[in-house]
Amino acid sequence: MTPLPRTGHRFTVGFDLDLTLVDSRPGIRAAYEALVAATGTHIDIDLVIGRLGPPLKEELRNWFPEERVEHANAVYLAGYPEHGILPSPAMPGARESLAAIRELGGRAIVVTAKNPRNARLHLEHLDIRPDELIGDLWAEAKAGALREHGASVYVGDHIGDVRGARRAGALAVAVPTGPYTAAELRAAGADVVLDGGLTDFPAWLRGRYAAGSTAARA
């Protein structure tokens, strides 16, 4: 991906990846099925899919003893490009959301807990092209990257994303397309909840950053 220049933009919006920009559930399911086949370890994949968000190793610790977590992590990551990318579509409104940001003179970044190589493969396969991609960051740890890149808004589906946005001093915009309901995201401190997911984002963004909008801020 060729990033746009970092200067000369009115604002920067950050996005989570899984269940925010990409419906990675089919791919993650396939990757876990391959991990089960490779290791012989029972994993309740439905349970895993229902609580996506935290880093991979945290989930693997529920199924593997600590001394096997690194190996399981390596096996999963190695197989993910084969199993995880093709089945996973873009979330509705994902491409339109990035287009709206650029239409208004903004810049889009992705800050995700996902392995950056696999995150990049998803984005390239789906032709979703942010200006920067930062991986391997979860919850409050996302705040440093958001501050570094000057993000004034962070969009995610998980309460961990809300915490990361608030730690960074960014507006926490939540979409109920992951494991949490709109009410749960509001209770966790989201500043804005888009009940329709990213399909509501372009109109919300235009209302905030349209020329002359009194709400607009960098």
Side-chain angles (χ1 to χ4, degrees), residues 15 19-21 90-98 100 155 173-177 193-206:
F15 290 89
L19 303 184
T20 300
L21 289 174
M91 294 297 289
R95 297 184 185 91
E96 294 83 353
S97 293
L98 267 67
V155 186
V173 176
V175 287
T177 48
V193 178
L194 302 175
D195 292 311
L198 286 185
T199 57
D200 290 348
F201 181 83
W204 174 83
L205 187 79
R206 291 184 183 106

Side-chain angles (χ1 to χ4, degrees), residues 88-112:
S88 300
M91 294 297 289
R95 297 184 185 91
E96 294 83 353
S97 293
L98 267 67
I101 290 167
R102 287 175 178 147
E103 168 194 316
L104 294 168
R107 184 169 173 271
I109 66 173
V110 171
V111 184
T112 175

Side-chain angles (χ1 to χ4, degrees), residues 18-19 49-54 157-159 175-181 184:
D18 291 325
L19 303 184
I49 296 298
R51 61 188 184 197
L52 294 177
D157 66 282
H158 199 283
I159 61 172
V175 287
T177 48
Y180 292 94
T181 66
E184 289 170 328

Side-chain angles (χ1 to χ4, degrees), residues 42-79:
H42 167 72
I43 297 174
D44 185 339
I45 299 175
D46 287 335
L47 180 60
V48 171
I49 296 298
R51 61 188 184 197
L52 294 177
L56 174 61
K57 287 183 184 178
E58 287 190 20
E59 182 60 56
L60 293 176
R61 287 188 174 95
N62 295 310
W63 312 103
F64 293 89
E66 187 62 36
E67 65 271 16
R68 295 184 60 202
V69 167
E70 286 293 342
H71 174 70
N73 183 72
V75 171
Y76 179 96
L77 291 179

